[in-house]
Amino acid sequence: MKVVVIGGTGLIGSKLVTKLGEHGHEAVPAAPNTGVNTLTGEGLAEALDGAAVVVDVSNSPSFASYSGARISERTLLPGPDAQLGEITLGTWLAQRQ
Ligand SMILES: NC(=O)c1ccc[n+]([C@@H]2O[C@H](COP(=O)([O-])OP(=O)(O)OC[C@H]3O[C@@H](n4cnc5c(N)ncnc54)[C@H](OP(=O)(O)O)[C@@H]3O)[C@@H](O)[C@H]2O)c1
């Protein structure tokens, strides 16, 4: 499974990329130094192509826009009726093994 890790070259993100790889996932580190910038949108579409999961562990300031857009907790949901569940990434990955 392709997992894009925004901030995947940082202290936390690089550890996550390593762990995802150890679990057999295609973990793609996405950060300015790999040509992906979530604030400007540079390289973002290419990085996200085919991704099943996107994790953001970047240190971009939360007050900034995301690829030029203001986002809220429900911005990326598929519709108004989407239900949010609570699960940690580790638990979710373990259930998919
Ligand atoms: N480290 C901790 O102990 C700790 C604890 C609790 C919470 N956190 C939070 O976890 C997050 C990551 O922390 P960290 O210590 O791993 O930070 P970090 O080592 O500074 O790494 C930050 C990552 O974000 C990337 N990044 C910065 N601007 C970006 C942008 N516009 N688009 C895409 N990627 C961008 C950086 O890429 P470049 O290197 O290319 O700039 C880098 O890969 C932060 O929000 C931090 O507040 C950290």
Side-chain angles (χ1 to χ4, degrees):
M1 172 174 49
K2 178 177 176 180
V3 182
V4 174
V5 181
I6 308 292
T9 61
L11 182 68
I12 293 175
S14 59
K15 289 180 170 51
L16 178 60
V17 166
T18 299
K19 284 194 176 295
L20 287 167
E22 289 171 356
H23 284 81
H25 298 292
E26 178 197 354
V28 179
N33 62 24
T34 66
V36 181
N37 189 320
T38 55
L39 296 182
T40 65
E42 177 192 359
L44 195 55
E46 295 84 354
L48 298 183
D49 187 38
V53 175
V54 179
V55 182
D56 189 340
V57 286
S58 70
N59 61 359
S60 298
S62 58
F63 55 80
S65 61
Y66 200 87
S67 294
R70 295 278 171 197
I71 63 168
S72 70
E73 186 182 47
R74 301 189 68 86
T75 299
L76 299 178
L77 298 181
D81 297 329
Q83 296 181 357
L84 291 178
E86 287 190 20
I87 190 169
T88 65
L89 178 62
T91 303
W92 182 79
L93 285 171
Q95 289 177 357
R96 295 182 59 90
Q97 299 285 322

